[in-house]
């Protein structure tokens, strides 16, 4: 019978980072991931890290390449009414954000875990969990053509929105809160220099657009699209054309086009489940909450959960005290709801919700007010760089 201290389901950023931080603190874990190593390392997703996430990666001893290759951004641009206005994050908060792709972060974590001889099992199928409401949680899974049983002290459900952990909890034990948005993001990745040194969030009567990047030679662009859009109908030429139409003229002219290396559509959703703890099972990251990507909070929120959980587990194994473990859910939820609010607000401000011109005029008025008010800009900036951990949950 196999045994570990913490069984971690899912090798996304949450599961890998938790496993690595536990390892650095002498706590044993096994990570079970249903996809292949190549698939996980290739998945293109987030790219903006808050300073708190950067510090956590350093604490996990996986920050070296990130610190070398990241792009530090101490501002971003808001595009509306044919012009752009810079939000000077550093002047407003003293902080900055780092651009470093989730794919790179995932590769760093997988390498660090593998180098330490971690029990990191890819292509683990039919994962199921049981006994977490008592003292002896167990995980069942199939791997290498055989079925296995893993005994553990705790289970960390780091298996994303579609994972098995949240779905195993009886529905009457949790409450979910959800808002779906009537649009998605069509994104492309292209090996061309970005249009601007910093990100540009653009509000336009045709819909939202975002100019982002992964490096000085790799750009990530998005346009708001309908939920029923067919990816095949979006040729690269059509995408570049639509993107440019939604950007202020000076930015549109600076866009360098090229063949896309990845193209996908993601629906936008706000989702939170409460609580995050069920006996000896903890939900972490996207398994417990989803935010629309406007404002880049998803990955950072997952890292914030990991920060609280690994600290609580270290305290438990060192002292036997359970207060921090018992407080995991409440502490994380305070930060989660603030990020849900911010992501919802930033999405509402920048996206087209209807053809009603009244709504667009209201958005333009708010953007005008925001960019003219140091107090309003300060609020935007402190949420964007990441709220402080002390007292903010
Ligand atoms: C298209 C897209 C763009 C995004 N852009 C941004 C952005 O710009 N900024 C930002 O901050 N966030 C962004 N996000 C969100 C961010 O990527 C997520 O918040 C982050 O990946 C959460 O990490 P996680 O480890 O909690 O979950 P995931 O990354 O979803 O990882 C969960 C893992 O669990 C595995 N798994 C699932 N079910 C099982 C099972 N039954 N058994 C075993 N393993 C299982 C999955 O294969 C996966 O590897 C984006 C997300 C998407 C989809």
């Amino acid at each position: 019978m196999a045994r570990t201290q913490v069984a971690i389901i899912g090798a996304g950023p949450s599961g890998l980072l938790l496993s690595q931080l536990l390892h650095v603190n002498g706590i044993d874990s096994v990570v079970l991931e249903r996809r292949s190593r190549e698939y996980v390392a290739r998945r293109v997703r987030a790219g903006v890290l808050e300073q708190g996430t950067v510090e956590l990666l350093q604490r996990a001893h996986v920050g070296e390449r990130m610190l070398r290759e990241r792009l530090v951004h101490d501002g971003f641009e808001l595009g509306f009414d044919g012009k752009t206005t810079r939000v000077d994050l550093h002047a407003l908060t003293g902080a900055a954000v780092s651009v470093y792709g989730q794919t790179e972060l995932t590769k760093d974590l997988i390498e660090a875990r593998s180098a330490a001889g971690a029990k990191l099992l890819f292509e683990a199928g039919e994962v199921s969990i049981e006994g977490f409401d008592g003292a002896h949680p167990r995980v069942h899974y199939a791997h290498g053509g055989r079925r296995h049983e893993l005994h553990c002290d705790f289970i960390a459900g780091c298996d994303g929105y579609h994972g098995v952990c949240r779905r195993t909890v009886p529905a009457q034990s949790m409450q979910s809160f959800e808002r779906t948005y009537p649009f998605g993001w069509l994104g492309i990745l292209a090996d061309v220099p970005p249009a601007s040194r910093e990100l540009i969030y653009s509000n336009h009567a045709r819909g939202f657009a975002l100019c982002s990047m992964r490096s000085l030679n790799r750009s990530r662009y998005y346009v708001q699209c309908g939920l029923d859009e067919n990816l095949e109908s979006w040729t690269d030429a059509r995408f570049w054309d639509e993107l440019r139409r939604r950007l202020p003229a000076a930015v549109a002219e600076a866009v360098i086009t090229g063949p896309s290396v990845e193209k996908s559509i993601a629906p936008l959703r706000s989702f939170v489940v409460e609580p995050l703890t069920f006996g000896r099972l903890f939900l972490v990251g996207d398994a417990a909450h989803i935010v629309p990507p406007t404002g880049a909070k998803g990955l950072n929120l997952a890292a914030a959960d990991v920060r609280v959980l690994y600290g609580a587990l270290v305290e438990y194994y060192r002292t036997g005290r359970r207060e921090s473990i018992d407080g995991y859910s409440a502490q994380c939820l305070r930060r989660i709801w603030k990020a849900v609010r911010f992501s919802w607000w930033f999405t509402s401000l920048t996206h087209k919700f209807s053809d009603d011109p009244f709504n667009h005029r209201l958005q333009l008025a708010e953007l005008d007010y925001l960019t003219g008010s140091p107090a309003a800009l300060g609020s935007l900036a402190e949420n964007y760089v990441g709220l402080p951990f002390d007292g903010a949950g």
Side-chain angles (χ1 to χ4, degrees):
M1 176 196 70
R3 206 191 133 71
T4 188
Q5 289 172 297
V6 184
I8 298 175
I9 317 301
S14 305
L16 291 167
L17 182 56
L18 178 63
S19 165
Q20 176 68 8
L21 283 161
L22 292 177
H23 164 73
V24 167
N25 286 276
I27 299 169
D28 185 57
S29 68
V30 172
V31 183
L32 301 173
E33 164 62 48
R34 72 172 170 182
R35 301 284 195 175
S36 69
R37 179 179 175 139
E38 297 67 37
Y39 183 95
V40 171
R42 255 202 338 263
R43 220 165 14 200
V44 178
R45 284 185 170 179
V48 177
L49 308 182
E50 295 172 358
Q51 188 53 34
T53 306
V54 167
E55 282 160 16
L56 196 62
L57 294 169
Q58 289 175 272
R59 237 191 254 184
H61 305 168
V62 286
E64 209 177 297
R65 186 165 76 99
M66 181 261 304
L67 289 179
R68 224 174 34 242
E69 297 183 8
R70 69 176 170 164
L71 304 174
V72 177
H73 283 190
D74 42 33
F76 67 87
E77 307 263 354
L78 282 172
F80 64 100
D81 225 4
K83 61 182 190 303
T84 55
T85 303
R86 182 160 189 267
V87 180
D88 189 335
L89 295 171
H90 192 260
L92 290 158
T93 67
V97 294
S98 296
V99 170
Y100 190 68
Q102 183 170 328
T103 34
E104 304 312 310
L105 185 74
T106 305
K107 277 185 220 154
D108 294 346
L109 283 163
I110 291 176
E111 268 173 33
R113 294 285 44 230
S114 303
K119 283 163 247 158
L120 174 53
L121 302 184
F122 291 97
E123 298 178 72
E126 299 164 50
V127 172
S128 64
I129 59 174
E130 62 175 0
F132 52 84
D133 44 354
H136 304 289
R138 294 169 302 283
V139 182
H140 299 271
Y141 63 98
H143 191 256
R146 287 178 44 221
R147 295 216 40 91
H148 303 265
E149 185 178 40
L150 176 65
H151 289 230
C152 55
D153 298 333
F154 300 101
I155 299 173
C158 302
D159 50 350
Y161 181 70
H162 299 288
V164 67
C165 292
R166 190 183 69 250
R167 283 160 212 276
T168 307
V169 175
Q172 67 272 21
S173 305
M174 62 167 75
Q175 193 176 2
S176 341
F177 305 83
E178 183 157 20
R179 168 147 310 178
T180 53
Y181 298 80
F183 42 73
W185 277 18
L186 167 63
I188 72 166
L189 197 62
D191 285 330
V192 290
S196 167
R197 212 184 66 72
E198 296 176 335
L199 272 67
I200 303 171
Y201 294 83
S202 181
N203 172 304
H204 192 273
R206 294 180 67 85
F208 169 78
L210 171 62
C211 306
S212 181
M213 72 278 298
R214 293 293 176 266
S215 70
L216 294 176
N217 299 308
R218 177 162 271 206
S219 299
R220 182 80 167 147
Y221 289 104
Y222 297 96
V223 292
Q224 174 186 348
C225 68
L227 286 172
D228 51 359
E229 290 286 348
N230 178 2
L231 198 56
E232 279 69 53
S233 73
W234 280 92
T235 59
D236 287 358
R238 183 179 168 207
F239 180 90
W240 292 119
D241 189 37
E242 185 60 35
L243 175 73
R244 282 178 159 150
R245 293 172 83 171
R246 296 184 187 190
L247 297 172
V251 181
E253 272 168 35
V255 171
I256 300 170
T257 63
S260 62
V261 292
E262 196 263 357
K263 196 184 288 168
S264 55
I265 293 178
L268 267 59
R269 170 186 287 122
S270 300
F271 171 81
V272 182
V273 73
E274 291 184 7
L276 270 53
T277 307
F278 306 90
R280 288 174 170 261
L281 166 67
F282 307 100
L283 298 181
V284 185
D286 277 19
H289 44 77
I290 299 283
V291 289
T294 333
K297 288 286 159 250
L299 174 60
N300 291 298
L301 215 43
D305 291 354
V306 169
R307 176 195 197 105
V308 177
L309 184 56
Y310 104 87
L313 288 168
V314 169
E315 183 178 308
Y316 170 79
Y317 280 112
R318 287 200 182 142
T319 67
R321 292 175 52 182
R322 291 195 56 111
E323 287 89 337
S324 297
I325 284 182
D326 293 341
Y328 167 73
S329 181
Q331 188 176 350
C332 290
L333 282 165
R334 288 182 65 201
R335 189 178 189 85
I336 290 164
W337 274 110
K338 288 184 193 115
V340 167
R341 185 211 67 81
F342 174 69
S343 308
W344 161 81
W345 169 80
F346 204 20
T347 303
S348 307
L349 181 66
T350 48
H351 288 64
K352 178 177 179 172
F353 280 73
S354 73
D355 286 326
D356 184 350
F358 184 81
N359 289 339
H360 193 225
R361 286 288 189 282
L362 286 182
Q363 288 180 330
L364 293 177
E366 187 168 355
L367 282 160
D368 192 23
Y369 159 68
L370 182 69
T371 50
S373 158
L377 273 179
S379 167
L380 164 61
E382 71 178 355
N383 279 279
Y384 193 85
V385 299
L387 293 172
F389 279 91
D390 291 335

